[in-house]
């Protein structure tokens, strides 16, 4: 197996910068806002908790997460249904290993689902989505992928979904969630709902969890990495269904965890209790973080739109997924016919780091790239980031106004300028 493309790109950019090569980094999605002081204080107070935590997590944290999920997703659940781990990524892997059958994976979707499914000895079955229909996941496409997999000897029993989405920035509408969960219930499919970006919904579309409509067959995963800007803390959770089935799954996931990572870090777990306990200050922080990511992502989206680049309108998180098919001919003259070649060309010729669509399961000839906007704040001192977060209080909801963004963000301006130059160059070659 190769290294995860996102981490590989991040290391490549770090090497280029160390060699003194300026690089605009749209290749890695890492939330980088300053840590909330409530979490800093909680961690400082927990530093001497040096014993191993229970495999499923510190009881108070599991309780706080259960209440948080009930509060934010409208899903009734108890602490017994919560498993805490070192990030949601290993928990998703443990679920893919512990559940039965093969996995339906929408195309495009996050880089790690298909490799994790294969590592767990499962087939990753691609489910087509239509760019002309905002990459919506439909029961018809799900049924078609499942039928084809069964004909080929597969046994589709799981579906991974991710709203807000990495890479598209899209979110399920309520009717999409209703249609998908209704299909999954009838087809006997368990849904793993990766909700790591749920806190970063931009606000013009509400976040609806599949678990709110299909609690007996849905698992929610989430954590501190995106909304709380604390990826390096490595703190994630999975909320399993209730009842005997959920308990059985919980035993299997805990058994795997006990043999692989034992437990997440105890001080981090203790500190994370503050993140999931109701606190108006933390809620304001989350709202501002979602707003700032949203405004910056929409500002770059508007630039792409003005340049006539097809791209789904972002609804949450900090990603854009533009399609460059309209420039296929001039790109071919530059020797670029695949998305990995396009990403390489942009890096070599324009010092612009992106990720190719192939990293998200697309065919190489599909000329799509994923752009992450989360690194467009640096090199900003922390005080500046606090100020930017605060300034979002005076702004309308992201994506609801065409006024220029009244914030000083030099890296964003540079990215907008760079895309304008690139498209002007390609248009000349048309
Ligand atoms: N799921 C998606 C869609 C992600 O983009 C990421 C991080 O990039 C993760 C899961 C991993 O999150 P964690 O830091 O909780 O392991």
């Amino acid at each position: 197996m190769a290294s995860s493309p996102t981490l590989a790109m991040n290391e490549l950019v770090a090497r280029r910068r160390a060699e003194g090569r300026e690089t605009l980094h749209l290749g890695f999605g890492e939330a980088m806002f300053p840590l909330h002081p409530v979490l800093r204080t909680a961690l400082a107070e927990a530093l001497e908790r040096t014993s191993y935590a229970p495999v499923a997590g510190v009881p108070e944290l599991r309780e706080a997460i259960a209440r948080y999920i009930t509060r934010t997703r409208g899903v009734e659940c108890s602490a017994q249904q919560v498993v805490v781990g070192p990030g949601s990524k290993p928990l998703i892997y443990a679920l893919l290993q512990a559940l039965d059958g093969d996995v339906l994976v929408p195309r495009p979707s996050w880089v790690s689902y298909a490799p994790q499914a294969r590592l767990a000895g499962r087939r990753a079955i691609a489910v087509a989505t239509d760019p002309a229909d905002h990459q919506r996941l439909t029961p018809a496409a799900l049924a078609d992928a499942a039928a084809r997999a069964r004909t080929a000897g597969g046994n589709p029993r799981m579906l991974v979904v991710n709203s807000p989405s990495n890479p598209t920035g899209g979110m399920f509408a309520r009717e999409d969630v209703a249609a998908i969960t209704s299909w999954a219930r009838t087809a006997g499919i368990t849904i793993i709902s990766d909700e790591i970006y749920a806190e970063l919904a931009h606000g013009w579309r509400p976040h609806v969890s599949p678990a709110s409509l299909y609690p007996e067959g849905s698992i929610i995963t989430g954590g501190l990495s995106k909304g709380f800007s604390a990826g390096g803390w490595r703190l994630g959770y999975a909320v399993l269904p209730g009842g005997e089935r959920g308990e059985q799954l919980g035993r299997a996931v805990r058994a795997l965890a006990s043999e692989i990572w034992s437990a997440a870090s105890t001080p981090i777990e203790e500190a994370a209790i503050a993140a999931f306990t109701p606190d108006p200050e933390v809620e304001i922080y989350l709202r501002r973080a979602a707003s700032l990511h949203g405004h910056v992502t929409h500002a770059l989206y508007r630039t792409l739109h003005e340049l006539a680049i097809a791209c789904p309108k972002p609804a949450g998180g900090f990603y854009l997924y533009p399609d460059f098919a309209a420039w296929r001919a001039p790109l071919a003259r530059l020797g670029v016919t695949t998305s990995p070649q396009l990403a390489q060309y942009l890096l070599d010729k324009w010092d612009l780091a992106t990720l190719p669509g192939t990293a998200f399961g697309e065919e190489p000839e599909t000329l799509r790239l994923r752009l992450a906007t989360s690194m467009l704040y640096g090199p900003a001192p922390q005080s500046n980031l606090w100020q930017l977060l605060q300034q979002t209080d005076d702004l309308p909801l992201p994506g609801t106004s065409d006024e220029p963004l009244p914030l000083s963000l030099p890296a964003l301006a540079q990215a907008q300028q760079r895309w304008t130059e690139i498209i002007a160059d390609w248009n000349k070659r048309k």
Side-chain angles (χ1 to χ4, degrees):
M1 283 185 70
S3 241
S4 160
T6 39
L7 300 175
M9 175 54 83
N10 204 35
E11 283 164 22
L12 178 61
V13 171
R15 270 205 307 279
R16 281 172 57 97
R17 284 179 171 166
E19 288 162 9
R21 297 184 66 181
E22 175 259 6
T23 308
L24 252 176
H25 199 352
L26 302 179
F28 190 60
E30 175 165 7
M32 294 172 57
F33 297 155
L35 184 70
H36 195 283
V38 167
L39 297 193
R40 187 191 305 125
T41 307
L43 182 59
E45 283 169 4
L47 281 181
E48 298 203 25
R49 303 287 177 91
T50 48
S51 295
Y52 288 106
V55 173
V58 166
E60 296 89 320
L61 175 59
R62 293 172 73 198
E63 186 68 49
I65 292 170
R67 293 213 184 117
Y68 176 76
I69 290 296
T70 303
R71 206 165 63 243
T72 56
R73 317 295 152 88
V75 178
E76 287 301 325
C77 60
S78 71
Q80 283 67 44
Q81 289 167 247
V82 177
V83 185
V84 173
S88 60
K89 193 173 188 172
L91 285 166
I92 295 170
Y93 172 73
L95 290 163
L96 294 171
Q97 179 85 64
L99 286 159
D100 275 338
D102 295 321
V103 195
L104 293 159
V105 181
R107 170 185 285 167
S109 59
W110 185 45
V111 290
S112 290
Y113 302 138
Q116 284 198 347
R118 287 194 284 272
L119 270 178
R122 315 294 178 181
R123 294 185 199 206
I125 304 156
V127 184
T129 61
D130 183 358
D133 190 18
H134 308 281
Q135 240 83 45
R136 270 176 67 207
L137 187 60
T138 62
L142 285 163
D144 180 56
R148 277 188 290 107
R150 281 192 204 99
T151 309
N155 176 28
R157 299 286 302 281
M158 297 176 250
L159 163 66
V160 191
V161 296
N162 176 220
S163 174
S165 158
N166 175 5
T168 70
M171 282 175 69
F172 289 138
R174 181 174 290 280
E175 50 276 24
D176 293 328
V177 181
I180 293 162
T181 50
S182 160
W183 175 82
R185 180 182 279 120
T186 309
I189 301 277
T190 302
I191 296 180
I192 300 174
S193 178
D194 176 351
E195 301 184 16
I196 193 76
Y197 294 96
E199 288 82 6
L200 297 183
H202 300 164
W204 62 268
R205 171 165 274 178
H207 174 73
V208 181
S209 173
S212 64
L213 301 180
Y214 179 36
E216 73 280 20
S218 301
I219 298 155
I220 297 174
T221 61
L224 295 184
S225 298
K226 310 298 176 182
F228 292 92
S229 280
W233 276 28
R234 308 308 302 128
L235 193 290
Y237 59 79
V239 182
L240 312 178
E244 176 49 35
R245 230 188 116 227
E247 279 171 31
Q248 203 183 340
L249 178 60
R251 281 194 291 278
V253 170
R254 287 197 299 274
L256 269 166
S258 74
E259 298 295 3
I260 302 176
W261 63 79
S262 300
S265 147
T266 312
I268 296 291
E269 290 197 45
E270 294 283 351
I273 296 169
F276 297 110
T277 301
D279 177 334
E281 290 295 318
V282 173
E283 274 152 36
I284 290 172
Y285 170 89
L286 286 178
R287 198 186 61 230
R288 288 175 174 169
S291 176
L292 189 50
H293 283 304
H295 280 291
V296 170
T297 307
H298 277 273
L300 189 56
Y301 166 74
R302 271 203 309 275
T303 301
L304 300 183
H305 192 70
E306 282 159 18
L307 295 168
I309 303 171
C311 180
K313 179 176 169 174
F318 35 69
Y319 300 109
L320 293 167
Y321 199 57
D323 187 342
F324 298 94
W327 289 274
R328 196 175 288 284
L331 285 170
R333 287 192 281 280
L334 290 164
V336 173
T337 57
T338 66
S339 67
Q341 288 169 351
L342 180 56
Q344 192 65 51
Y345 157 84
L346 288 169
L347 189 62
D348 295 342
K349 173 83 179 29
W350 296 94
D351 297 318
L352 190 62
T354 60
L355 273 191
T358 46
F360 305 92
E362 303 264 29
E363 295 299 336
E365 292 70 28
T366 307
L367 289 179
R368 293 206 192 139
L369 300 173
R370 190 205 68 179
L371 314 182
T373 61
S374 57
M375 313 284 266
L376 292 178
Y377 303 93
Q382 296 259 312
S383 58
N384 189 7
L385 283 167
W386 281 117
Q387 215 173 32
L388 283 170
L389 285 165
Q390 209 168 12
Q391 282 172 318
T392 62
D393 292 351
D394 303 325
L395 301 178
L397 273 184
T400 60
S401 155
D402 284 332
E403 293 298 309
L405 197 53
L407 304 176
S408 169
L409 289 156
L412 169 65
Q414 221 184 342
Q416 291 170 308
Q417 178 64 25
R418 190 78 44 96
W419 277 113
T420 308
E421 290 164 10
I422 292 168
I423 296 299
D425 180 62
W426 293 354
N427 284 343
K428 272 196 295 207
R429 296 169 189 272
K430 257 190 172 172

